[in-house]
Amino acid sequence: MTRPQDAVLTNARLVLEDRVLDGTVVIEHGVITQVDEGRSSLSGAVDLHGDYLLPGLVELHTDNLEKHFVPRPGTRWPAMAAIVGHDAQVASAGITTVFDALCVGETSSGGDRLEILAGMANSIREARSKNLLRAEHLLHLRCEISHPDTAALFREFIGDPGLRLVSIMDHTPGQRQFTTIEKYRYYYIKKYGWSDAEFETFVARQTEASARYGAGNRRAIVALAHENGLTLASHDDATVAHVDEAIADGMVVAEFPTTMDAAKASRGQGMAILMGAPNVVRGGSHSGNVSALDLARDGLLDILSSDYVPMSLIHGAFLLSRAEVGLDLPAAVRTVSATPAARVGLDDRGRIATGLRADLVRVRDTGDMPLVRGVWCRGDRVI
C-alpha cells in the first residue's frame, strides 16, 4: 500500500454537514487535518476553481457488479476484469465506499446469481488484496429467504471482514415490491418472455417455496446476523405488518418501502428509510410504487442508493436539493454520505471534518446534472 499523498485543496465550495463554505481542505496521511474558510496562498495548493467539494459518497446497495459479471444473458466476463470495471464505474460516480449487494438465493430457476455468487465475492477479496481498487468495497448480502439453500449459503460468509450489511428479501408473488399479482405478471413476463402458462407455473412454485423455506431461513439469518454484529435491513416493506416484523427482528434500515404507509410506520419505529436514486432521477418508481420525491416532501427519506445506476447517486442528491422537498444541498448530500455511513457504523467518513478519512469528490454543477471532476479516497487521487 503506497502512502497517501498530502494535498491542499483550495478555492472550493465545501459542502459541510450544515452549510456550504468557500474554503480550503488540508489532507495529511490520508486524513483531513484542516477545514478553513477562504483561499490558501500556498504555492502547491490545488485550485478547484469554485467547484463543489463533497464528502465521498457512501453506497449501501448496488447490484451493479452483477452486470459486469453477466454483461449479456448467458455471457460470463472474466472475474478480475469485471470487478475492476465495476470499481472504475462507481469511483467515477464519486462513490468512495461501496457495499456490493450480492444476492444469496434466487427467485427463479435458471438464473445467474447463484452461479456467480462465489466468483463475485472472491473477486472483491482478491482485488482488494492486490490493491487494485479505487473505492473501498464492503459486502451487503441480499438474502432471498424463499430459496432452499439461502441460510446455508449465508453461513459461508460469516467471518468475512468485508461483510457489514444484511437485508432480508421475500419476492413471493403479489406482495412487497409488486403489491398486486398484475404488477408481478407484467414485470416477469416482460423480463423473461414467458407465456401465461409458464408464468403461472412460476408463481405456484415460488408461493410453495416461500411457504416451505421462508420462515426458517429468516429466523436463521437474523440470528446469525445478530450473533456477528451485522447491520440488518428490511426490503420492500409494503404494510405496517411488514414493518412490525422488521422491528421485531432488530432491523434498522428500511430499504425501498413500496407504500407511504410502510414508510410512515418505518419512521415511527426509528428505522432509516432508504430509497433508490433512480426513483428520484426518473421522477418515480419503475415498479409503480411510492415516489422517493413524495417521501422526501413528507420528511420520510434518509438515504439514497444508486441501486442499478451508479451515477444516479450524485445526480439524485443534486436533484433533491433543487426539488421543492425542503432539502438544501448539505441536507441532500447527507443522504448519500453522512447518514448511510453512520447507520452502518462507519464513523470515520461521510463528512468533511478534521480527523476523518480524506474521501472527497470534486463536482461541477452544470445545471443539467453534476459532473464529477476529481475523487480522492483516503487522500489518494483515484479519479
Side-chain angles (χ1 to χ4, degrees), residues 57-374:
L57 308 190
V58 178
E59 168 57 70
L60 295 187
H61 179 123
T62 176
D63 53 16
N64 189 62
L65 181 56
E66 287 184 2
K67 292 187 288 187
H68 287 264
F69 264 77
V70 188
R72 289 189 175 179
T75 301
R76 298 291 189 274
W77 209 247
M80 294 309 292
I83 181 60
V84 169
H86 161 64
D87 171 69
Q89 192 174 7
V90 298
S92 67
I95 298 167
T96 53
T97 301
V98 53
F99 282 69
D100 291 312
L102 309 186
C103 197
V104 181
E106 272 281 14
T107 57
S108 63
S109 60
D112 299 305
R113 284 172 165 171
L114 283 179
E115 295 178 12
I116 63 176
L117 174 61
M120 288 195 296
N122 290 333
S123 74
I124 295 168
R125 297 169 186 137
E126 184 178 354
R128 186 191 298 130
S129 71
K130 293 180 177 178
N131 197 28
L132 300 179
L133 302 175
R134 306 178 193 214
E136 181 174 5
H137 289 252
L138 300 170
L139 289 183
H140 170 177
L141 294 185
R142 306 164 58 209
C143 299
E144 185 61 55
I145 59 174
S146 63
H147 192 276
D149 300 326
T150 296
L153 290 168
F154 178 75
R155 287 187 184 92
E156 295 177 7
F157 284 87
I158 295 300
D160 188 315
L163 177 58
R164 300 289 189 92
L165 180 61
V166 178
S167 58
I168 301 296
M169 303 195 305
D170 181 1
H171 286 95
T172 302
Q175 51 93 49
R176 293 188 179 266
Q177 182 181 9
F178 302 100
T179 53
T180 67
I181 198 67
E182 288 76 19
K183 288 182 180 180
Y184 197 85
R185 177 189 299 273
Y186 176 79
Y187 179 83
Y188 277 93
I189 286 181
K190 184 177 180 181
K191 181 176 181 179
Y192 294 111
W194 289 335
S195 67
D196 286 343
E198 288 172 322
F199 174 76
E200 294 299 335
T201 299
F202 169 72
V203 167
R205 185 173 64 244
Q206 286 302 110
T207 302
E208 192 273 335
S210 178
R212 177 178 295 186
Y213 305 113
N217 277 336
R218 184 181 184 110
R219 286 194 300 270
I221 292 165
V222 166
L224 282 168
H226 284 303
E227 289 168 11
N228 290 276
L230 304 174
T231 300
L232 275 165
S234 65
H235 192 82
D236 292 339
D237 289 341
T239 67
V240 173
H242 289 157
V243 177
D244 289 343
E245 185 180 29
I247 293 299
D249 285 337
M251 298 179 183
V252 298
V253 177
E255 288 193 322
F256 314 115
T258 62
T259 66
M260 184 66 76
D261 285 346
K264 289 179 178 178
S266 298
R267 171 52 48 78
Q269 297 278 17
M271 299 179 78
I273 299 170
L274 179 152
M275 293 294 286
N279 187 314
V280 174
V281 174
R282 296 179 66 254
S285 164
H286 77 279
S287 300
N289 295 318
V290 69
S291 163
L293 289 172
D294 286 344
L295 293 187
R297 288 188 186 95
D298 285 358
L300 297 172
L301 174 62
D302 301 299
I303 298 170
L304 281 183
S305 161
S306 70
D307 200 3
Y308 55 94
V309 182
M311 191 58 75
S312 71
L313 195 60
I314 196 163
H315 192 185
F318 272 76
L319 287 175
L320 279 180
S321 73
R322 291 198 281 263
E324 295 181 1
V325 297
L327 297 179
D328 59 11
L329 185 60
V333 168
R334 287 199 300 271
T335 70
V336 297
S337 55
T339 304
R343 189 52 58 145
V344 294
L346 297 176
D347 57 4
D348 61 346
R349 69 198 77 184
R351 296 175 289 125
I352 298 179
T354 57
L356 299 189
R357 281 175 36 150
D359 292 351
L360 300 162
V361 186
R362 177 184 180 180
V363 179
R364 176 163 296 174
D365 187 0
T366 67
D368 180 31
M369 66 170 295
L371 178 66
V372 175
R373 304 190 70 212

Side-chain angles (χ1 to χ4, degrees), residues 4-25:
Q5 296 296 306
D6 296 345
V8 178
L9 308 179
T10 194
N11 191 21
R13 303 185 68 193
L14 310 179
V15 182
L16 307 181
E17 271 198 287
D18 57 355
R19 66 192 188 281
V20 177
L21 176 72
D22 292 334
T24 298
V25 170

